[in-house]
Amino acid sequence: QVQLVESGGGLVQTGGSRRLSCTASGMTFSGNTMGWYRQARVKQRELVASDISDIIIRYADSVKGRFTISRNGAKNAVYLQMNSLKPEDTAVYYCNARYYRCSTWYENDSWGPGTQVTVSS
């Protein structure tokens, strides 16, 4: 079965940086649209960044200019570089594959455990 694993989270001060990594077994990132999501306490999960084969990259307005999504095909890994972190960035971060069909985007059902990012003041 597909198994996603996120890593790289931790405690960071406001203005600091972190790089999150995502790896998977049972699937290949190549040829798939990949996305990074986050879910803050008592908040719904939101899409932070989307990477369509490194050609079309979208970011949420809240992170645009500060976060960068990238991938390494040889390592079958996807990354999220986070700079100028703010307390409101505190959340559990997840990666997943995204699919577009019937004019709607969907995510793979096998969500990973996520990685906690906490930004302190």
Side-chain angles (χ1 to χ4, degrees), residues 48-59:
V48 173
S50 178
D51 179 0
I52 305 177
S53 300
D54 288 326
I55 299 175
I56 302 176
I57 301 176
R58 306 294 187 189
Y59 298 96

Side-chain angles (χ1 to χ4, degrees), residues 83-105:
N83 299 324
S84 302
L85 285 164
K86 306 174 181 179
E88 50 264 42
D89 294 320
T90 296
V92 177
Y93 285 74
Y94 305 86
C95 67
N96 210 339
R98 309 182 70 225
Y99 308 91
Y100 188 78
R101 63 178 185 272
C102 300
S103 302
T104 304
W105 284 98

Side-chain angles (χ1 to χ4, degrees), residues 11-16 85-88 90 118-121:
L11 178 63
V12 61
Q13 295 180 343
T14 297
L85 285 164
K86 306 174 181 179
E88 50 264 42
T90 296
T118 302
V119 184
S120 65
S121 59

Side-chain angles (χ1 to χ4, degrees), residues 27-83:
M27 71 172 292
T28 300
F29 291 159
S30 298
N32 287 321
T33 298
M34 299 301 300
W36 278 98
Y37 306 77
R38 69 183 181 186
Q39 185 170 13
R41 185 180 180 184
V42 303
K43 299 289 186 179
Q44 293 185 336
R45 183 173 59 237
E46 63 174 338
L47 177 65
V48 173
S50 178
D51 179 0
I52 305 177
S53 300
D54 288 326
I55 299 175
I56 302 176
I57 301 176
R58 306 294 187 189
Y59 298 96
D61 290 340
S62 59
V63 307
K64 191 172 184 178
R66 300 188 297 116
F67 290 11
T68 302
I69 186 173
S70 63
R71 65 175 72 197
N72 186 320
K75 297 182 178 180
N76 197 39
V78 179
Y79 308 98
L80 184 68
Q81 178 66 46
M82 306 184 296
N83 299 324

